[in-house]
Short mmCIF file of all heavy atoms in Angstrom, two decimals:
data_model
loop_
_atom_site.label_atom_id
_atom_site.label_comp_id
_atom_site.label_asym_id
_atom_site.label_seq_id
_atom_site.Cartn_x
_atom_site.Cartn_y
_atom_site.Cartn_z
N PRO A 286 17.16 -22.73 19.77
CA PRO A 286 16.44 -22.08 18.72
C PRO A 286 17.28 -20.85 18.16
O PRO A 286 16.71 -19.72 18.17
CB PRO A 286 15.08 -21.69 19.24
CG PRO A 286 15.26 -21.83 20.70
CD PRO A 286 16.47 -22.47 21.10
N GLY A 287 18.47 -21.04 17.81
CA GLY A 287 19.31 -20.02 17.24
C GLY A 287 20.38 -19.59 18.28
O GLY A 287 20.06 -19.29 19.41
N SER A 338 24.07 -8.13 15.28
CA SER A 338 23.17 -9.08 15.71
C SER A 338 21.72 -8.54 15.51
O SER A 338 21.54 -7.40 15.15
CB SER A 338 23.34 -9.54 17.17
OG SER A 338 22.72 -8.69 18.02
N GLY A 339 20.75 -9.43 15.76
CA GLY A 339 19.37 -9.01 15.56
C GLY A 339 18.96 -7.78 16.37
O GLY A 339 18.17 -6.93 15.92
N THR A 340 19.61 -7.62 17.58
CA THR A 340 19.29 -6.42 18.41
C THR A 340 19.65 -5.18 17.68
O THR A 340 18.83 -4.17 17.87
CB THR A 340 20.18 -6.59 19.67
OG1 THR A 340 19.80 -7.88 20.30
CG2 THR A 340 19.84 -5.40 20.67
N GLY A 341 20.68 -5.15 16.85
CA GLY A 341 20.99 -3.93 16.03
C GLY A 341 19.82 -3.60 15.08
O GLY A 341 19.42 -2.39 14.92
N TRP A 343 16.64 -4.31 15.51
CA TRP A 343 15.58 -3.81 16.37
C TRP A 343 15.79 -2.27 16.46
O TRP A 343 14.86 -1.47 16.31
CB TRP A 343 15.71 -4.33 17.76
CG TRP A 343 14.89 -5.52 18.06
CD1 TRP A 343 13.86 -6.11 17.38
CD2 TRP A 343 15.03 -6.24 19.34
NE1 TRP A 343 13.43 -7.22 18.10
CE2 TRP A 343 14.06 -7.31 19.23
CE3 TRP A 343 15.87 -6.21 20.43
CZ2 TRP A 343 13.97 -8.28 20.28
CZ3 TRP A 343 15.74 -7.14 21.49
CH2 TRP A 343 14.74 -8.17 21.39
N PHE A 365 11.56 -11.91 24.39
CA PHE A 365 12.16 -11.06 23.31
C PHE A 365 11.20 -9.78 23.15
O PHE A 365 11.83 -8.67 22.94
CB PHE A 365 12.34 -11.83 22.08
CG PHE A 365 13.50 -12.73 22.19
CD1 PHE A 365 13.35 -14.19 22.43
CD2 PHE A 365 14.86 -12.28 22.14
CE1 PHE A 365 14.38 -14.99 22.57
CE2 PHE A 365 15.88 -13.15 22.26
CZ PHE A 365 15.69 -14.48 22.54
N VAL A 414 6.34 -9.31 17.75
CA VAL A 414 7.32 -10.41 17.52
C VAL A 414 6.61 -11.51 16.80
O VAL A 414 5.61 -12.12 17.40
CB VAL A 414 8.04 -10.89 18.85
CG1 VAL A 414 8.93 -12.13 18.51
CG2 VAL A 414 8.83 -9.78 19.44
N ASN A 416 7.59 -14.71 15.77
CA ASN A 416 7.80 -15.95 16.51
C ASN A 416 8.49 -15.72 17.74
O ASN A 416 9.78 -15.37 17.75
CB ASN A 416 8.57 -16.89 15.56
CG ASN A 416 8.73 -18.34 16.17
OD1 ASN A 416 7.70 -19.04 16.17
ND2 ASN A 416 9.92 -18.69 16.59
N GLU A 417 7.78 -15.81 18.90
CA GLU A 417 8.36 -15.47 20.15
C GLU A 417 9.28 -16.67 20.61
O GLU A 417 8.75 -17.77 21.02
CB GLU A 417 7.31 -15.19 21.23
CG GLU A 417 7.70 -14.84 22.58
CD GLU A 417 8.78 -13.82 22.76
OE1 GLU A 417 8.51 -12.60 22.63
OE2 GLU A 417 9.93 -14.26 23.08
N THR A 418 10.55 -16.54 20.54
CA THR A 418 11.54 -17.56 20.66
C THR A 418 11.59 -18.06 22.12
O THR A 418 12.06 -19.13 22.37
CB THR A 418 12.90 -17.15 20.20
OG1 THR A 418 12.72 -16.35 19.00
CG2 THR A 418 13.78 -18.29 19.81
N ASP A 445 9.24 -8.42 14.20
CA ASP A 445 10.47 -9.07 14.45
C ASP A 445 10.32 -10.51 13.92
O ASP A 445 9.45 -11.23 14.48
CB ASP A 445 10.81 -9.07 15.97
CG ASP A 445 11.92 -10.06 16.36
OD1 ASP A 445 12.37 -10.83 15.58
OD2 ASP A 445 12.33 -9.92 17.53
N THR A 446 11.06 -10.84 12.91
CA THR A 446 10.97 -12.27 12.31
C THR A 446 12.33 -12.99 12.58
O THR A 446 12.67 -13.86 11.80
CB THR A 446 10.69 -12.23 10.82
OG1 THR A 446 11.86 -11.53 10.14
CG2 THR A 446 9.45 -11.40 10.47
N ILE A 447 13.10 -12.59 13.64
CA ILE A 447 14.41 -13.07 13.77
C ILE A 447 14.41 -14.64 13.84
O ILE A 447 15.30 -15.23 13.26
CB ILE A 447 15.13 -12.43 15.02
CG1 ILE A 447 15.26 -10.96 14.76
CG2 ILE A 447 16.56 -13.07 15.27
CD1 ILE A 447 15.88 -10.17 15.87
N SER A 448 13.42 -15.27 14.49
CA SER A 448 13.40 -16.72 14.58
C SER A 448 12.33 -17.35 13.64
O SER A 448 11.98 -18.48 13.86
CB SER A 448 13.28 -17.18 16.02
OG SER A 448 12.06 -16.87 16.46
N GLN A 470 21.31 -15.84 12.16
CA GLN A 470 21.73 -17.05 12.75
C GLN A 470 20.63 -18.06 13.16
O GLN A 470 20.88 -19.01 13.86
CB GLN A 470 22.50 -16.74 14.09
CG GLN A 470 21.69 -16.25 15.25
CD GLN A 470 21.42 -14.78 15.31
OE1 GLN A 470 21.35 -14.13 14.22
NE2 GLN A 470 21.22 -14.17 16.45
N LYS A 471 19.49 -17.84 12.55
CA LYS A 471 18.40 -18.79 12.79
C LYS A 471 17.91 -19.51 11.55
O LYS A 471 18.65 -20.36 10.99
CB LYS A 471 17.26 -18.12 13.69
CG LYS A 471 17.93 -17.49 14.94
CD LYS A 471 17.08 -16.87 15.91
CE LYS A 471 17.95 -16.19 17.04
NZ LYS A 471 17.18 -15.58 18.11
C1 PLP B 773 17.30 -14.24 18.73
C2 PLP B 773 16.24 -13.26 18.82
C3 PLP B 773 16.49 -11.93 19.07
C4 PLP B 773 17.88 -11.43 19.47
O1 PLP B 773 18.70 -11.43 18.42
P1 PLP B 773 20.25 -11.28 18.66
O2 PLP B 773 20.86 -11.64 17.40
O3 PLP B 773 20.64 -12.07 19.90
O4 PLP B 773 20.58 -9.81 18.94
C5 PLP B 773 15.37 -11.12 19.02
N1 PLP B 773 14.18 -11.49 18.70
C6 PLP B 773 13.87 -12.71 18.55
C7 PLP B 773 12.48 -13.12 18.26
C8 PLP B 773 14.89 -13.70 18.58
O5 PLP B 773 14.62 -14.99 18.32
#
Side-chain angles (χ1 to χ4, degrees):
S338 88
T340 302
W343 266 349
F365 287 101
V414 173
N416 185 69
E417 177 52 74
T418 321
D445 168 348
T446 66
I447 296 178
S448 65
Q470 75 272 29
K471 302 185 186 182

